[in-house]
Each structure stands twice: as structure tokens, then as C-alpha cells.
Amino acid sequence: MVMPILDPAAALDASRPRPLGLSEPQPDLFDAVTQQTNNVNVAVFAPDLERVEVAYQAPGDGWRVHTLPNLEDGVHFGIVSGMPPGTRYGFRAAPSGGGLPMSVPALDFDDDGEQSLLLDPYGRAVDQRGEFLTSVHMATDFDWGDDAPPRTPMRTSVIYEAHVRGQTMLHPDIPEHLRGTYAGMAHPVMIQHLTELGITAVELLPIHFHLDESHLQDLGMTNYWGYNTAAFFAPHADYATEAARNAGPHAVQDELKGMIKLLHAAGIEVILDVVYNHTAEAGPDGPALSFRGLAEDRYYRHDAHGRYLDTTGCGNTLDFSDPVVVDLTLDSLRYWVNEFHVDGFRFDLAVTLCRDAGNQFDPRHPFLRAIEEDPVLSVVKLISEPWDVGYGGWQTGRFPPGWSDWNDHFRDGVRRFWLSDRAAMEAGGQGGSIASLAEIMAGSANLFASSGRTRLASVNFVTAHDGFTLKDLVSYDRKHNEANGEQNRDGHGDNRSYNHGFEGRSEDEAIVAARALSIRNLMATLLLSIGVPMITAGDELGRTQQGNNNAYCQDNPTAWLDWSRTSEANAMFRTTQELVKLRRWFLRHQPENFPAKANDASLQWFDDKGKRMTPARWNDPSVRSVQLLMGAEDSEVRGLIVVNGSNQDMKMVLPEILSETGIGKRMFELRFTTSVLHERRKGALVASGERDILQANTINIYRT
């Protein structure tokens, strides 16, 4: 039998408004209360409600309700008895009037109908039964053993963006009951794949508890990507094994922690893609699941007329000019670092998180400053998606020190040089100059300098979950999103892609070869440029989504990784693996401050004659070739990247290198070429001042 609170006055003394959510009571204030079995301090920010009651169901018991007796600065709080771990609970408005704040049976409660309770914004798990959602009281015990964060420096990081479910759903060597789960992500076969590839961090698409938008439900689809968070402290249970789901939220939590522990043991960091810019409550007509029913005016951004301001394109926007929203986000982030040992975060639509009371981006926003000063959060990896859909939404390069940005300049510039420019030239037109490619290959230093950051602030990517895969970039001129049920209106129309003469799958050997060359050029540029490379899962295997560039609702083989190891897939894997090894090998032979402190001496540019690039050459749109000599002057090894972006083979004179004794002859060893001659030419020696032939649209990488 659940005992009531003994004395409301005593409960007032023993309870506290912080921390929000469920926590242990203060035993030194009133032992008679706290010594009762399973007493919990409950606190919820709900200034919109005059009185709040918590409805809860302990395992094996019926539903009970308890009115929270205390109110301070919008926080309703009190001690509630009989709430052991595993208890389902939620909040609702309490009837007005007096009455003792004791736990009593909820005679009017029905959990088989529509949503009648509000989720705890600080709830550690969500129980979902049909349309009915409740928070769950969680214990946090887990045997972490000797787990320690890998703490891989950004300079040597290679990030792999993956989806927990899609990564393993089709893997034949992972047991069927583990496919598509946290456990599957950490299966030895998957860890072997990641380590053989040279990955240092997996960046997981959202694993916070999320819901499907109503229009997708009407179409019989789901939000596969998961960018529709409903609970910022709760893991998404559907990514756990059936056994864990059946065992309950604690088993789900343990499976996720076990995944992270195993990845750490392999030296792989875990970065979470997090969505704090909006919630699953959608627009003003959306459901009241939590925030909307507790403090709508405080959690969401409104204009002067009380209408929702939307900088996310999702119907609502969390208001980061309000300290309550900032504190919620900081508390959530700390929880994932402290309790789940995650190594960093990628912030979806991060500009929204840094908008002030006037809805303007502020690079010294209180949220950013709080992270900078936080001993837990300031030492993990912080990656921004530096744009949103609001006014002034593009802010790449403006985030503060300690942050890295997804570099859309890199994405667009690499695609343009190797794909849309090539398409234009093959159609009889002209491509762009080499200057824009050179800038991004060198780490986009000018883009990040004003924020006080180095080239390592650039997270370089050619593809991401949002858009074409690498293979589709070279196979489609247009998006093909008809399967999404929106008449192909969704997804980006400007992809800077090139189908090489035929739309979609082709058996023409010339087209297949041309596409493979372009893929190698794109991957080589990604992995050998200065900055932090991010590979999208499956690109190392030549994955296709059949031209769908917005597969957010495709929880099926369209978006899942295809593990059929065809000769084409094996060749692409070997290419990616070799490029990652080459990158790591080069950096091992550089001082620790390279490339963050790269200067004119460590990055030298030469033309096809082996002479220094001049302003005239840089600005000449017909110049499509360049040589980058890269590496600290006092390092054991320097690398030479030679780019021929023209449609003609070129004779390139390799540069002479200035040393302490002056300009002298050096031997360059060819380590990699994107041309079909790679296996035949690898290891060839060419003296500085001598010519080497680069095939059309290829890259050569040498060492000296």
C-alpha cells in the first residue's frame, strides 16, 4: 500500500525546487519523510498552471495522484512517496482549491485513451503505449568499468555520420535480432569495419526520444532521421533490441551505454546529433505533450502579436533568449556527458540556439558563454550546423573558439569544381578557376579567422544525411523524391551534381568509369584537405538512395546501408581506407601545431610550370590546375597535392623546394592518384623540376 505524505509542512521543508525533474530528497531536513520507501523530490517548471499534480503508477500498482504543494519562481515542487525506479508518471493541472498534498488513488485516470498527461521536460525515459506517453523514473547505475573518453584531437579526427538503425539493418554478418539497434552498432563486425576504415568518431543522427509528424503518420511513414525531439533526456527506445524493450527502460538505457562503452574500447568517440531548436509539439495547433502545456510562453519564441516565430521550419522554435530554455539545454547536455559518457555534440540548426531577445544571432550568446565556462561541456567536441531558416540564418565561421562548424563552403566548392564545372565544360562552356578550391583545401582560414579560430574549426564534408549520397551526386542531375509523398517538392533543388551523361543507374562502361573517377576525386579532396573530414555512412561503399536527396521518411532499404560487397563497393572501400591511412600517416610526421598554425611557409602553391602562383593565375578562370606543397618546414615529410581539374591531360613540373641551403632538387614519390593508373604508378619517383603527366580530372599525391 502506498503511504501518504505524513505532514505537508514537513514536506515543504524537505522538498526543493532544484534540480528540476525527479531527484533524491534532502535527508538531513526531515528524516521521517525521507526514510519512507521510494520518496522522490519532484520539481517542474510550470508557470502557466496554478496548481500541478503528478500522476504516477509504480510497477505493479494502480495510478495515484499527488498535488505538488510548493511554488517558487514558477516551479511547482514537493516530496512524493511510492515512486521507485520504473514508475511511470506525468503532470497535469490540479483542481483548484485546498486539500492535502498526499498521494491518493487516481479514480478518474484512463491511460488507454489520448494523451492526458504532460511529459516531464527532465524525464530520463519515455514509455510509449499507442498514443499515450509517460515519463519514467530511472535509476542510473551501470558498470562502466575502466571506460575512458578517447579524447581524439580534432587534427587527427575522422568523423563518420551514421544512423543507428540504418547502419546495420541489412548487414548479413550481424545477427538478425541485433540489426538496427544500439547493440548492432557496437557489434564486433561493425567495430571492425569502422576501425579498418580509420574512423575515430561516429556522429549519430538523433537518438533522443522523438515522434513522427502527423502528416507522415497519415502517409504511413515515419520520421526516420529523428529530427523531431519530444524528450531531451530520454533515449529513443525503438533503437534498442526487442529484448531490451521488453525488459523496460533501464535495459534500453544499459544497451545504449554498452554501445558507447564498446566503441570507446575500440578508440572510437561517440558524438550525438542533437535537436534543441524545436520540439515535436509542432505549430500552435500541434499537440500539448510537455512544454506547451507547462510554460508555452517561456519555452517557445513568439512575436509581438503572440504568434509563433519559426526559424526552424518545424512549426515552433525554442526561445534561447529565456534562461529557462538555456538551463534546460545545458542540463541535458551535461546529463549525456556525465551519465552516458558521450564525447561531443553536433547541434542541428545551431544558429537558433544563439538568437537573442531581438531574434538576432549573437556569437557571445549566454548559451555559448555558459558552455565555454562549463567544466564538463567545454572539453567535449562541439560542432555547429551554422545556419537556420530565419533572417540572418547563415553564420558559418562566426561561432566562438571551442566550436567547429559544418563548412558548407567546402561542400559547395568541392561539388562545383569536380561536378557542375565539369558538366559545364563538357557541354562546351567554362568552369570556374582553381582559387575557390584552393581556399577550402587549405582549411577556409579566412572564413574562420574573424572568430579567432584556426583551420581546425572547419568540419569538411561533401555529403551528409541531408542530400545526395556520394554515388548519387555523380549519377543524378535532379532529385527524385517521389517516394516521399510530396510530389517531389521536398529536398534541395540546387545540388551541384552531375550525372555524367545519363540520369540514374547506367551499364555504359565509359559512364561508370567517369563516375568512379569523380567519386575518387571527391573523396580524395575531402580526406586530404585541411580541417576535420566527415564521411557519410555508406559513401565508403558507394551507397545509393536512387536519387532521393531527402530520405528523412524512408525507413527502408532506400536509406539503409547496402552491405552487398560488390567489386565496385570493395574498390571504393579500399580507396577510402587508403586515403584515411595516407592522411593519418602524413599528420604523424607533422608537429602537433600543424595544421592549426599553418602559414605561408607550410602551405605553398605552385602552377603547372612549378612556379609560384601569381594573382593573375589565381584569377584566371581558365586555370584549372594547381600544386599544394604542404607540411611544416622542419617536418620529416612534406606532401604535394597536384590537381588537374581540366578535361585534358597535363604535364606538370613538380616544384623545387626551398631549404636552409637554398633551392634544391628533391625526389617526390607518388603515393596515390585518383586516375585508373593508380596501381601501376604508385611508388613512381619524380624529381623536383621534372615533369609528370596528370590525366584529365585527376589528383596526384606525392611525398618528399
Side-chain angles (χ1 to χ4, degrees), residues 176-223:
E176 187 172 354
H177 70 283
L178 299 181
R179 296 176 191 170
T181 69
Y182 299 122
M185 189 74 198
H187 188 275
V189 168
M190 187 52 56
I191 288 179
Q192 180 181 0
H193 176 79
L194 296 172
T195 53
E196 286 183 352
L197 192 58
I199 298 303
T200 68
V202 291
E203 182 178 301
L204 299 178
L205 268 67
I207 63 167
H208 289 173
F209 177 80
H210 58 264
L211 295 170
D212 302 322
E213 293 88 341
S214 58
H215 79 277
L216 289 177
Q217 296 179 45
D218 293 341
L219 291 170
M221 296 178 173
T222 63
N223 187 324

Side-chain angles (χ1 to χ4, degrees), residues 68-320:
L68 299 178
N70 310 313
L71 177 62
E72 181 179 309
D73 297 329
V75 177
H76 298 259
F77 61 101
I79 301 294
V80 182
S81 62
M83 292 188 69
T87 297
R88 302 162 64 204
Y89 72 99
F91 301 111
R92 65 183 183 181
S96 59
L100 293 176
M102 63 177 59
S103 300
V104 296
L107 301 178
D108 64 335
F109 194 79
D110 177 16
D111 63 354
D112 294 325
E114 296 181 355
Q115 188 69 18
S116 57
L117 296 179
L118 299 171
L119 292 173
D120 181 359
Y122 280 71
R124 270 40 175 177
V126 175
D127 181 279
Q128 183 173 16
R129 305 186 183 188
E131 298 296 318
F132 188 69
L133 307 174
T134 55
S135 299
V136 183
H137 181 202
M138 297 291 292
T140 60
D141 54 299
F142 180 78
D143 181 10
W144 282 103
D146 58 356
D147 179 73
R151 291 280 191 265
T152 306
M154 289 299 279
R155 72 185 292 269
T156 53
S157 291
V158 178
I159 299 172
Y160 185 87
E161 189 198 35
H163 189 289
V164 168
R165 181 167 167 80
Q167 187 71 15
T168 60
M169 280 297 294
L170 298 177
H171 203 300
D173 297 328
I174 293 179
E176 187 172 354
H177 70 283
L178 299 181
R179 296 176 191 170
T181 69
Y182 299 122
M185 189 74 198
H187 188 275
V189 168
M190 187 52 56
I191 288 179
Q192 180 181 0
H193 176 79
L194 296 172
T195 53
E196 286 183 352
L197 192 58
I199 298 303
T200 68
V202 291
E203 182 178 301
L204 299 178
L205 268 67
I207 63 167
H208 289 173
F209 177 80
H210 58 264
L211 295 170
D212 302 322
E213 293 88 341
S214 58
H215 79 277
L216 289 177
Q217 296 179 45
D218 293 341
L219 291 170
M221 296 178 173
T222 63
N223 187 324
Y224 169 68
W225 286 350
Y227 289 90
N228 202 40
T229 305
F232 295 114
F233 292 78
H236 196 65
D238 285 350
Y239 295 159
T241 58
E242 182 179 5
R245 297 196 306 273
N246 290 339
H250 196 281
V252 171
Q253 175 179 274
D254 284 354
E255 185 176 315
L256 173 54
K257 290 180 177 179
M259 178 200 77
I260 295 171
K261 182 178 178 180
L262 288 170
L263 288 169
H264 280 181
I268 299 172
E269 294 183 307
V270 177
I271 299 170
L272 300 186
D273 194 335
V274 287
V275 188
Y276 293 106
N277 53 75
H278 77 282
T279 78
E281 291 184 317
D285 297 328
L289 302 172
S290 176
F291 311 93
R292 176 166 292 140
L294 297 170
E296 180 174 25
D297 290 341
R298 297 289 299 275
Y299 280 118
Y300 294 119
R301 191 177 285 276
H302 299 78
D303 64 17
H305 303 286
R307 297 171 300 204
Y308 273 28
L309 274 174
D310 185 3
T311 62
T312 66
C314 301
N316 65 62
T317 300
L318 283 170
D319 186 359
F320 274 79

